[in-house]
C-alpha cells in the first residue's frame, strides 16, 4: 500500500500512533533517472518511509513525499479509483479516539454490519491529510 503525503513525517506519526505501525526500514530519499523511468515522472525526488504492523512484514505501508506535488481536492467516499484503506482493529472505539486525537476525523457513524449476537462494527474516518480509512471490528462472543 502506498500513500503520497503532503508531509510524510506527520502522516507517518498518525499511522504509528493510531494503529501501532513501526518502521520497516530507515527513511530513504529516492531520486535520479532510475526512479523517474520507473514512475514516469521526470526529475522525481521522493522522501520514502516504509511502515508495517508489529510482527508483520507484509503488507507494508509506504508513505511518500514528493519534492513537487500536485494539489487535488479531498477525495469523496464514492469517487472512482482507489477508495480507502481498511484496517481490522481490536477495539474500534479506542482506535477512533486515538485517530481523532492525532488529527483524524470521522466520516460516518459506527454501524453494525453483523447481528446483535455477532456484531461486526465498521466506521469510515479520514487521516489528517484527508485519505479515507475503513475501520472494522468483529466482536466475538
Amino acid at each position: 500500500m502506498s500513500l503520497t503525503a503532503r508531509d510524510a513525517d506527520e502522516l507517518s506519526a498518525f499511522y504509528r500512533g493510531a494503529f501501532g505501525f513501526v518502521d520497516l526500514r530507515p527513511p530513504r530519499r529516492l531520486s535520479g533517472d532510475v526512479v523517474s523511468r520507473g514512475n514516469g515522472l521526470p526529475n522525481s525526488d521522493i522522501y520514502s518511509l516504509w511502515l508495517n504492523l508489529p510482527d508483520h512484514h507484509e503488507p507494508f505501508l509506504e508513505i511518500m513525499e514528493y519534492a513537487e506535488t500536485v494539489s487535488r481536492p479531498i477525495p469523496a467516499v464514492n469517487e472512482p479509483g482507489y477508495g480507502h484503506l481498511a484496517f481490522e482493529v481490536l477495539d474500534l472505539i479506542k482506535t477512533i479516539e486515538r485517530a481523532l486525537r492525532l488529527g483524524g476525523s470521522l466520516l460516518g457513524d459506527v454501524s453494525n454490519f453483523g447481528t446483535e449476537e455477532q456484531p461486526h462494527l465498521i466506521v469510515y474516518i479520514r487521516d489528517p491529510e484527508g485519505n479515507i480509512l475503513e475501520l472494522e471490528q468483529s466482536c466475538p462472543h
Side-chain angles (χ1 to χ4, degrees), residues 64-75:
M64 302 183 305
E65 179 183 329
Y66 285 79
E68 292 184 36
T69 59
V70 177
S71 293
R72 71 172 191 176
I74 194 163

Side-chain angles (χ1 to χ4, degrees), residues 91-110:
D91 188 323
L92 187 67
I93 300 305
K94 285 184 181 178
T95 303
I96 292 168
E97 290 170 353
R98 282 193 309 270
L100 296 177
R101 192 172 54 251
L102 293 165
S105 59
L106 278 172
L107 272 175
D109 296 319
V110 175

Side-chain angles (χ1 to χ4, degrees), residues 15-34:
Y15 283 90
R16 284 182 187 98
F19 301 106
F21 275 87
V22 296
D23 291 317
L24 182 58
R25 64 155 170 79
R28 292 188 183 156
R29 175 70 57 188
L30 308 171
S31 62
D33 290 339
V34 172

Side-chain angles (χ1 to χ4, degrees), residues 50-68:
W50 285 11
L51 306 174
N52 68 304
L53 294 167
D55 302 323
H56 295 85
H57 292 287
E58 295 177 358
F60 67 93
L61 175 63
E62 180 180 25
I63 299 179
M64 302 183 305
E65 179 183 329
Y66 285 79
E68 292 184 36

